[in-house]
C-alpha cells in the first residue's frame, strides 16, 4: 500500500486533500511570508486516527508538519516542501467542565474562543487570551507555549496545561489527562511537550486549568511620553490595582497605522509618543479603583476610562488591531522578543537606528505586552534586507540578555538564531531529547532545531 492509500484508509478519502485548490489555504501561513507545497493535507477526527497517520508516516519515512488554526507567526505550521500536513482542526471534542477540579479536557483543535465560551457557560474562564482567539487552537497554543494579553495575571499556556495526550513519533499514544494537582513521579513529560513546536510529538487532547470568571471589567487607555513613561505608570498602578489583568503597549506610529488602515477614530485630541491599555477584572466593578489609581499616578499625558462594554472593546481595538493593520500595509518581518524590563527603554530607543543601518527604507512598528518585556517588532518594507534586519534585531536582543522568542516560538523563521538565546550545552541537550523522541527526525523538520 502506498502512503496515500494508507492515509485514505485511515481517515476517509474526503479527509486526504491533494488538489492545490483544496490544500492552498493550509500551505501558506497567516503572514503570507511562509509557504510550501505539502504531499497532502490529512484531517483526522480523533487520537486513534492521528496515531495511525503518524505510524504510517514513520513506516514510509515521510516527514510531517503539524497545523492547528494556522495562526502561527514563525512558519512552524506550514510545509517547507513535500511534508504530509497533519491538520488537527477536526479534534474539536469538548468534555464537560470538571467543576471540582476547575479543569476541562478538550481536543487539540478546539479554538480558543470555543474553549472560552465553554468555560464561561460553566461559570469559569480560561486564563490565556489573545487576538487570534477565533481561529487559534488550544493544541497550537500549547505547542508554542503561547502567552497573550493576560500573562500578567495568569501566566502563559504552560501554567494552564495540567495534562495532555500526545501521539509519539512511532504512532504510540501517551495519555496523561488526570490533571492531578500534585504528582511527583519523575520527568515532567507534559511540560516537555508544551512549547516543543510540534518537533517531539503530536498533541491531541489537553487537560486545562480554568480560572474564576470575572464579570466586572474596567479598561483604560493611557497616553505617556514613551516606553520609560509606560513602565513608570505600570510600576505605580500595580500596587494600587490588585485586579490588574493586562498592560499593553503601543506607540504613536502603530496608532497611526491602525487608525489609517482600519478607519478607527483617534482616541485623544492630541498625539502622544506611547500608549498603554490597562485592564482590571474582578467580581465587583473595578472602574472606581481604576480611576482613583490613574489620578494618583504621575506621568500621564492623557487617559480615558471606558464606561461600557462597546467602549472597552473600542479601546482594546487600538492594541489588538495592530497585527491586522500591519498585514494590510504589507508582509512584515515579525520578531517577537523579550527584554529584561531594565533594558527595554534603551533597546527601543536604539532600534530604529539599528534597523535603518541595514534597511534604510524599512518602517518599524513596535507594540507588545509591557509587563513581561515582550515586544512585537514588526518591520515593513525590509525587502531584500529581511535577513539582515532579523540578524540585527535578534543580535541586539541577545546583547541585552533578552530572548529571541517570547511567545510565538522559534519555528522556521528563527531556527538559525537559536544559539543567540541558548548555550551550546542547551542546544546539544535539546538535540538529544529530539533524537530520543523522534529518532527518524520526521516531526516538523526544519522547525526549532536545524
Ligand atoms: C499580539 O500580541 C500577537 O497581538 C501578535 O502576539 C503579534 O503581530 C504580532 O507581531
Ligand atoms: Zn503578543
Amino acid at each position: 500500500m502506498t502512503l496515500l492509500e494508507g492515509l485514505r484508509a485511515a481517515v476517509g478519502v474526503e479527509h486526504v486533500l491533494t488538489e492545490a485548490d483544496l490544500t492552498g489555504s493550509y500551505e501558506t501561513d497567516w503572514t503570507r511570508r511562509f509557504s510550501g507545497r505539502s504531499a497532502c493535507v490529512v484531517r483526522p477526527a480523533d487520537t486513534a486516527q492521528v496515531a495511525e497517520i503518524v505510524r504510517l508516516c514513520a513506516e514510509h519515512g515521510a516527514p510531517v508538519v503539524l497545523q492547528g488554526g494556522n495562526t502561527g507567526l514563525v512558519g512552524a505550521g506550514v510545509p517547507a516542501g513535500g511534508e504530509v500536513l497533519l491538520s488537527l482542526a477536526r479534534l474539536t471534542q469538548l468534555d464537560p467542565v470538571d467543576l471540582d477540579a476547575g479543569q476541562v479536557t478538550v481536543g487539540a483543535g478546539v479554538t480558543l474562543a470555543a474553549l472560552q465560551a465553554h468555560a464561561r457557560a460553566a461559570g469559569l474562564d480560561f486564563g490565556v487570551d489573545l487576538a487570534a482567539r477565533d481561529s487559534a487552537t488550544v493544541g497550537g497554543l500549547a505547542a508554542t507555549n503561547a502567552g497573550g494579553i493576560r500573562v500578567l495575571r495568569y501566566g502563559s499556556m504552560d501554567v494552564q496545561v495540567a495534562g495532555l495526550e500526545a501521539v509519539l513519533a512511532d504512532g504510540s499514544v501517551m495519555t496523561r489527562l488526570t490533571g492531578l494537582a500534585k504528582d511527583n513521579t519523575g520527568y515532567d513529560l507534559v511540560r516537555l511537550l508544551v512549547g516543543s513546536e510540534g518537533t517531539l510529538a503530536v498533541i491531541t487532547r489537553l487537560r486545562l486549568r480554568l480560572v474564576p470568571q470575572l464579570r466586572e471589567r474596567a479598561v483604560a487607555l493611557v497616553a505617556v511620553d514613551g516606553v520609560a513613561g509606560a513602565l513608570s505608570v505600570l510600576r505605580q498602578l500595580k500596587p494600587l490595582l490588585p485586579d490588574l489583568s493586562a498592560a499593553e503597549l503601543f506607540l504613536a506610529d502603530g496608532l497611526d497605522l491602525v487608525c489609517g488602515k482600519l478607519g478607527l477614530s483617534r482616541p485623544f485630541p492630541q498625539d502622544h509618543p506611547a500608549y498603554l491599555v490597562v485592564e482590571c477584572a474582578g467580581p465587583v466593578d473595578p472602574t472606581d479603583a481604576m480611576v482613583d489609581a490613574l489620578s494618583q499616578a504621575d506621568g500621564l499625558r492623557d487617559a480615558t476610562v471606558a464606561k461600557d462594554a462597546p467602549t472597552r472593546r473600542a479601546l482594546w481595538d487600538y492594541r489588538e488591531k495592530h497585527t491586522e493593520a500591519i498585514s494590510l500595509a504589507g508582509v512584515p518581518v515579525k520578531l517577537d522578543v523579550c527584554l529584561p524590563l531594565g533594558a527595554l527603554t534603551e533597546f527601543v530607543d536604539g532600534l530604529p537606528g539599528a534597523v535603518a543601518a541595514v534597511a534604510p527604507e524599512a518602517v518599524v512598528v513596535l507594540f507588545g505586552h509591557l509587563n513581561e518585556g515582550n515586544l512585537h517588532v514588526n518591520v515593513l518594507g525590509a525587502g531584500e534586507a529581511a535577513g539582515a534586519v532579523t540578524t540585527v534585531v535578534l543580535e541586539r536582543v541577545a546583547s541585552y540578555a533578552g530572548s529571541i522568542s517570547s511567545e510565538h516560538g522559534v519555528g522556521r523563521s528563527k531556527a538559525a538564531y537559536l544559539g543567540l538565546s541558548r548555550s551550546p550545552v542547551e542546544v546539544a541537550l535539546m538535540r538529544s531529547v529530539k533524537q530520543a523522541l523522534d529518532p527518524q527526525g520526521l516531526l516538523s523538520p526544519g522547525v526549532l532545531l536545524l
Side-chain angles (χ1 to χ4, degrees), residues 148 319 369 374 376 407-408:
R319 160 64 181 87
H369 314 284
N374 178 183
H376 296 308
E407 59 171 3
H408 296 170

Side-chain angles (χ1 to χ4, degrees), residues 40 143 174 181 213 251 302 324 326 359 363 380 436:
C40 60
M174 176 183 94
Q213 186 177 7
L251 305 182
D302 208 340
E324 193 181 333
I326 290 164
V363 175
L380 283 161

Side-chain angles (χ1 to χ4, degrees), residues 72-109:
L73 300 172
V74 290
V78 291
E83 300 95 320
V84 169
L85 193 159
L86 174 48
S87 165
L88 284 314
R90 288 179 68 226
L91 274 63
T92 52
Q93 181 192 327
L94 281 167
D95 285 4
V97 170
D98 177 344
L99 290 170
D100 291 327
Q103 296 179 351
V104 66
T105 301
V106 303

Side-chain angles (χ1 to χ4, degrees), residues 125-197:
D125 207 344
F126 188 58
V128 165
D129 194 17
L130 39 79
R133 57 185 73 78
D134 290 323
S135 314
T137 60
V138 288
L141 296 177
T144 52
N145 191 18
I149 56 180
R150 300 207 207 290
V151 174
L152 182 158
R153 185 144 187 181
Y154 299 116
S156 297
M157 272 306 279
D158 55 348
V159 180
Q160 327 304 325
V161 177
L164 53 74
E165 178 179 80
V167 172
L168 307 184
D170 62 357
S172 56
V173 179
M174 176 183 94
T175 303
R176 196 147 190 87
L177 289 168
T178 48
L180 294 177
K182 303 186 83 176
D183 176 16
N184 283 352
T185 50
Y187 304 139
D188 189 343
L189 301 175
V190 169
R191 184 61 187 87
L192 176 66
L193 297 188
V194 176
S196 64
E197 301 189 41

Side-chain angles (χ1 to χ4, degrees), residues 374-436:
N374 178 183
L375 289 178
H376 296 308
V377 181
N378 279 254
V379 184
L380 283 161
E384 300 283 291
V389 165
T390 303
T391 303
V392 94
V393 174
L394 297 186
E395 284 183 348
R396 198 172 155 76
V397 168
S399 75
Y400 286 103
S403 170
I404 62 158
S405 172
S406 192
E407 59 171 3
H408 296 170
V410 172
R412 295 185 199 287
S413 67
K414 292 188 230 166
Y417 299 91
L418 187 61
L420 288 174
S421 280
R422 295 294 196 136
S423 69
V425 171
E426 287 178 294
V427 174
L429 198 50
M430 285 162 79
R431 285 192 195 287
S432 324
V433 173
K434 170 76 174 167
Q435 177 65 25

Side-chain angles (χ1 to χ4, degrees), residues 26-27 29 65-68 70 72 74-79 85 412 447:
Y26 295 87
E27 292 170 338
D29 82 324
V65 64
L66 313 181
Q67 187 179 100
N70 198 10
V74 290
V78 291
L85 193 159
R412 295 185 199 287
V447 170

